[in-house]
Amino acid sequence: MTTNSKTVSNGKQGSKDTGFHNTLVYIRQHWQLYLIFLMPALLLTLIFKYAPMSGILIAFQDYNPFKGVSGSEWVGFKHFTRFLSSPDFMRYLVNTLKLSVYSLLWGFPVPIILALLLNRIQSAGIKKKIQLVLYLPNFVSVIVLCGIVRIFLSVTGPVNLLLGTDINFMTMPEAFRSIYIISGIWQGAGWASIMYTASLSNASQELREAAVMDGANILQQIRTVEWPAIKDMVVIQFILQAGNIMSIGFEKAYALQTDLNLPASEIIATYVYRKGLIDGDYSFSTAVGLFNTVINVILLIVVNKIVAKMNDGQGI
């Protein structure tokens, strides 16, 4: 019996090696075909993804546009030190973290809940109509969304008319984060639920019917049948979103900013815009952006390791 199992395993290994060898031979014989199909994608990636990365060099220079990168003076970590020692550094960092963390805590479970609810709708027609309504806000541009928010929350807007007040919510720093997070959930939760809805299609209907016959309630059905089907997707999405915790969208934060809500709305992304494009301090703004990126990479690695330990070694 042992000899037969060894023979079978050796046969499988031999077939894998043979298949891999045949693939290499085929690629070597038809390399022109692969070159023609892969070259455009490789060139686009190199030109638009990797070539611009050389621009981070100006973060270590006193960059002069007329002298270029090669002629500008190298100053090392001067701009990083300037940013970290700035009296406003903690305010920008805390504002960014609060928006990111609160958006993750409040917004991450919503697509999962929507997918679980949609999965329980039996009528295909009704389900499609509800999905259409949920997905539609995703196709509204960020600027249009911010315009809608400003109109709704203006002094003469529908919210004040409904409440019988005349509050200008857009000038209140304490209201900015709630406005930002709630509008983001409304816009993106439906579209984000697509991945979980697709994963739920792999849930065993026979197992679900058996759970119903055994008297399992809705929560028990979700825990035993539906949750295992989306667990891996939830873990991957959580790691990616937690790893991008410093990557707050610049457009939305900037479009919702007013002079009076700046104490809560000024984040690292809008600060980079002001220093780089408005003040023309290219080196300093690049250093701040690079700092933000490095923190994101560190967070992604740390969160992945933590989740992998909590999830039986399974991460990204």
Side-chain angles (χ1 to χ4, degrees):
M1 187 70 179
T2 305
T3 305
N4 291 337
S5 62
K6 288 183 178 179
T7 304
V8 171
S9 62
N10 290 335
K12 289 182 179 179
Q13 185 65 34
S15 62
K16 289 181 180 178
D17 294 339
T18 303
F20 181 71
H21 175 72
N22 292 338
T23 302
L24 290 179
V25 171
Y26 184 83
I27 293 174
R28 192 181 300 114
Q29 292 176 348
H30 303 89
W31 63 270
Q32 300 94 338
L33 181 65
Y34 287 89
L35 182 65
I36 291 173
F37 280 97
L38 291 178
M39 186 57 68
L42 291 174
L43 287 176
L44 288 173
T45 302
L46 291 173
I47 294 172
F48 293 103
K49 296 294 184 180
Y50 287 93
M53 290 177 64
S54 62
I56 64 174
L57 292 175
I58 68 175
F60 306 94
Q61 297 179 324
D62 273 335
Y63 178 69
N64 187 324
F66 298 101
K67 295 181 180 179
V69 176
S70 59
S72 299
E73 179 185 358
W74 292 89
V75 295
F77 292 93
K78 170 186 172 183
H79 301 297
F80 295 93
T81 305
R82 173 185 163 193
F83 176 60
L84 294 175
S85 60
S86 169
D88 294 324
F89 164 70
M90 284 306 300
R91 179 163 67 91
Y92 300 146
L93 181 62
V94 169
N95 286 343
T96 303
L97 287 175
K98 281 185 176 180
L99 275 183
S100 297
V101 173
Y102 292 161
S103 296
L104 180 64
L105 292 177
W106 292 105
F108 183 76
V110 177
I112 302 173
I113 296 171
L114 286 177
L116 293 172
L117 292 175
L118 287 171
N119 192 54
R120 309 204 71 80
I121 299 176
Q122 300 299 324
S123 174
I126 295 176
K127 185 176 181 179
K128 288 181 180 180
K129 290 181 175 64
I130 294 176
Q131 286 177 316
L132 177 62
V133 174
L134 291 175
Y135 300 161
L136 190 60
N138 180 72
F139 300 98
V140 178
S141 71
V142 174
I143 301 302
V144 173
L145 171 68
C146 294
I148 294 173
V149 170
R150 283 179 173 271
I151 292 173
F152 267 73
L153 299 179
S154 65
V155 177
T156 58
V159 175
N160 275 304
L161 292 176
L162 182 64
L163 298 176
T165 57
D166 57 352
I167 302 172
N168 191 347
F169 294 97
M170 299 307 302
T171 63
M172 300 169 59
E174 60 272 18
F176 175 80
R177 295 190 187 100
S178 298
I179 295 170
Y180 185 96
I181 294 169
I182 293 172
S183 61
I185 293 174
W186 174 77
Q187 184 179 30
W191 186 256
S193 68
I194 291 178
M195 293 176 292
Y196 305 115
T197 303
S199 299
L200 283 170
S201 63
N202 296 324
S204 174
Q205 292 299 320
E206 292 81 6
L207 188 59
R208 179 178 173 181
E209 292 172 0
V212 172
M213 292 179 64
D214 290 338
N217 58 35
I218 293 177
L219 293 179
Q220 291 171 335
Q221 293 173 35
I222 291 174
R223 187 179 71 251
T224 58
V225 180
E226 297 174 358
W227 174 250
I230 64 172
K231 179 182 176 183
D232 292 338
M233 181 62 67
V234 171
V235 170
I236 292 173
Q237 289 301 312
F238 179 78
I239 292 173
L240 293 176
Q241 291 189 33
N244 287 323
I245 210 165
M246 296 285 288
S247 297
I248 288 290
F250 155 76
E251 298 90 350
K252 185 177 178 181
Y254 188 73
L256 292 176
Q257 270 187 358
T258 64
D259 291 337
L260 296 179
N261 68 17
L262 277 178
S265 63
E266 186 75 324
I267 58 177
I268 292 179
T270 57
Y271 182 65
V272 169
Y273 169 77
R274 293 181 188 279
K275 298 301 293 184
L277 295 182
I278 296 180
D279 296 345
D281 197 346
Y282 304 114
S283 294
F284 180 70
S285 62
T286 303
V288 176
L290 182 58
F291 166 82
N292 199 46
T293 303
V294 170
I295 297 299
N296 263 336
V297 173
I298 294 173
L299 285 173
L300 180 62
I301 295 172
V302 171
V303 172
N304 185 40
K305 289 185 177 296
I306 293 174
V307 173
K309 287 184 178 180
M310 297 173 62
N311 194 37
D312 300 327
Q314 293 183 3
I316 294 182

